[in-house]
Amino acid sequence: SGLAFAAANGLSSDRIGDEFVVVVTGTLAARTDVVYGTSFPWGGDAWADAPSRPSWPLAALAGLGAGAAALGVSELLAGLLPFAASPIIAIGDLVISLQPPGAKQFVVDLFGEADKLLLNLFIAAVALAVASALGVLSRDRPGLARLGFAAFGLLALGAALRDPLSEPVTSLLVAAAAVLVAIAVLGRLL
């Protein structure tokens, strides 16, 4: 029964001396791992030593999920907390204020009244793409991925602090919650 399970799920094993070498591929783990152990790999402690490096598409999806969760939490908190700035709108306002003269009028002429909506959607798409890239980075360097999420949290906080109507404490809570959620979700998914 163990060998039938192994064959059905893309597992193969070879005996080398007193050790088993198990190669895991296919749909079972959605990754390829090589496991070395002294006990039979389908019962015992051989699986406990298996490397847990996900494939890059799964890591990208995990990063995307972490980024989406962080954006969702930050927008929810910005709506619930008094005088908290929305990170997407704050970064949009920062982008608008840093545009060269004439660029704003060009964008308004090009997109009409939907210019701000398109800018906010573009900011959300870029944030999700960066989060996906941070998910891939976390396969090899999880500390750098966490720093990347923290850097984007600081960017959102800096943009929110430029808004005269936002309170620094609530904006800090929104940014910190987004960073913590992104790191926690990415860690859980990977």
Side-chain angles (χ1 to χ4, degrees):
S1 66
L3 293 177
F5 173 80
N9 288 295
L11 302 174
S12 63
S13 66
D14 291 317
R15 189 174 181 99
I16 301 175
D18 291 334
E19 293 188 336
F20 283 94
V21 177
V22 181
V23 178
V24 182
T25 59
T27 58
L28 178 70
R31 59 181 182 227
T32 301
D33 292 333
V34 178
V35 180
Y36 298 95
T38 56
S39 62
F40 194 70
W42 294 284
D45 67 338
W47 290 111
D49 298 329
S52 60
R53 185 173 185 239
S55 65
W56 72 265
L58 287 178
L61 284 175
L64 182 67
L71 284 177
V73 165
S74 66
E75 292 299 315
L76 177 66
L77 286 177
L80 293 176
L81 295 175
F83 303 109
S86 160
I88 292 176
I89 293 175
I91 291 174
D93 290 342
L94 178 65
V95 168
I96 290 170
S97 70
L98 295 176
Q99 287 185 30
K104 181 178 179 184
Q105 188 59 42
F106 173 74
V107 172
V108 169
D109 292 342
L110 188 62
F111 295 112
E113 293 180 12
D115 63 331
K116 190 115 179 189
L117 171 66
L118 289 174
L119 175 64
N120 291 337
L121 290 174
F122 180 73
I123 289 169
V126 168
L128 292 174
V130 169
S132 184
L134 289 173
V136 173
L137 177 66
S138 71
R139 293 172 64 218
D140 296 321
R141 300 189 172 212
L144 282 179
R146 288 190 285 270
L147 283 175
F149 281 118
F152 273 90
L154 287 174
L155 173 68
L157 177 61
L161 292 177
R162 291 175 50 96
D163 183 1
L165 299 177
S166 71
E167 285 290 325
V169 173
T170 55
S171 297
L172 175 65
L173 287 174
V174 168
V179 170
L180 291 175
V181 165
I183 291 170
V185 169
L186 184 64
R188 178 74 175 130
L189 292 177
L190 293 180

